[in-house]
Amino acid sequence: LEDHIGDICRKARMHTKTSMELATAAAGVDEASLHAFETDGMEGSVVDIAALADLLGLDVAKSERVAQGWEPAPVDLGGWRELRMVTTSEGFEVNSFLAWDPDIQEAALFDTGWFADDIFKLIDEQGLNLRHLFITHMHGDHVAALGEVRKRHPDVRLHSGSAHAPAAQRVVPGEPVTVGALRVIGRLTPGHAEDGVTYLIDGWVGGSSLVAVVGDAIFSGSMGKDFNTPELAQRKIREEILSLPSETLVCPGHGPLTTIGEERANNPFFH
């Protein structure tokens, strides 16, 4: 997972502005031990997960499940024609996603990650025409290769939730963008990032289920940090992401693929 149970509890502690004094009392450990737990997770930890999770507003049963090693069921992207995940690393891993219509080879890229080499390789191997670049949010790890992509594909059309983007590039919620037979619809999901956007992709060959490219709004078993507007972030996730059909494939900016059903059942941030 992108976040172990210690990460999750630290985010929740920061979101709720819970003091270390209260957190250590609930966890039944001293401050050094709680810090180690937040850094390393359950390794050698004697933290009272149930009491700490309850204090922090997390779902207790889900928190204990994550602490015990829960992971989402593996996803085979072969069920979606054509969708690929490209993961790049520069100290930590970032996911980008490439989707295309296999009949006319028209493609869309969702975030660039750190480097574009593997994206370019995939585009060349498949003979694709990259028409669109959808940005989930403008944090550096997700757009580090933006210049490379635009240089290699100067006619690519950008889509962003940033208020600083030119008007023609700004996402209009609910307005579909076609990529061959595929349709991409943006939903604004601010919180972790003010310009956060979740992109829904449907129209897959064979009728495969809806795909949601969520950036850092939500991860498998966790959510993106938001120390300023956590209530807004959680509300937007509930309204715009967790309201989707349970079989919807969730493509996060970090960590493994998951589904809406998995997250409803196992994500500690959502009761």
Side-chain angles (χ1 to χ4, degrees), residues 2 23 93 197:
E2 168 63 14
E93 293 185 339
V197 181

Side-chain angles (χ1 to χ4, degrees), residues 210-267:
L210 188 68
V211 170
V213 182
V214 300
D216 289 359
I218 190 170
F219 306 129
S220 182
S222 189
M223 62 178 286
K225 65 178 180 294
D226 181 0
F227 302 150
N228 298 314
T229 59
E231 296 86 0
L232 171 66
Q234 288 189 305
R235 177 167 61 83
K236 285 296 184 179
I237 291 168
R238 288 191 180 96
E239 293 175 353
E240 305 292 353
I241 299 176
L242 295 181
S243 61
L244 297 168
S246 61
E247 66 274 14
T248 301
L249 175 66
V250 177
C251 298
H254 306 276
L257 300 167
T258 183
T259 65
I260 294 297
E262 287 272 25
E263 296 313 302
R264 285 182 193 151
N266 298 289
N267 194 309

Side-chain angles (χ1 to χ4, degrees), residues 60-237:
V60 172
K62 295 176 184 178
S63 297
E64 292 182 322
R65 199 145 57 240
V66 171
Q68 292 163 5
W70 170 84
E71 292 185 0
V75 174
D76 178 8
L77 283 183
W80 287 265
R81 186 176 177 237
E82 299 281 353
L83 175 66
R84 299 289 187 277
M85 180 168 75
V86 177
T87 301
T88 54
S89 179
E90 180 76 353
F92 58 93
E93 293 185 339
V94 182
N95 300 328
S96 302
F97 298 89
L98 190 68
W100 68 92
D101 180 330
D103 293 327
I104 65 170
Q105 304 300 91
E106 189 170 306
L109 176 63
F110 297 81
D111 289 347
T112 71
W114 293 110
F115 311 105
D117 293 352
D118 288 343
I119 294 168
F120 295 153
K121 181 179 179 182
L122 183 55
I123 288 172
D124 291 343
E125 286 176 348
Q126 298 294 329
L128 303 179
N129 177 16
L130 184 64
R131 296 290 303 277
H132 300 273
L133 171 54
F134 295 92
I135 303 299
T136 64
H137 61 301
M138 288 295 293
H139 288 179
D141 51 327
H142 293 265
V143 297
L146 178 58
E148 294 177 63
V149 173
R150 297 188 77 178
K151 183 176 181 180
R152 179 84 169 255
H153 298 273
D155 295 328
V156 70
R157 180 183 170 193
L158 266 63
H159 306 265
S160 167
S162 174
H164 304 293
Q169 296 178 7
R170 290 181 208 154
V171 170
V172 179
E175 183 175 293
V177 176
T178 58
V179 184
L182 299 176
R183 293 194 326 148
V184 180
I185 296 176
R187 292 187 171 194
L188 303 184
T189 46
H192 171 75
E194 185 177 351
D195 61 338
V197 181
T198 288
Y199 296 101
L200 309 183
I201 315 171
D202 67 4
W204 300 99
V205 173
S208 297
S209 61
L210 188 68
V211 170
V213 182
V214 300
D216 289 359
I218 190 170
F219 306 129
S220 182
S222 189
M223 62 178 286
K225 65 178 180 294
D226 181 0
F227 302 150
N228 298 314
T229 59
E231 296 86 0
L232 171 66
Q234 288 189 305
R235 177 167 61 83
K236 285 296 184 179
I237 291 168

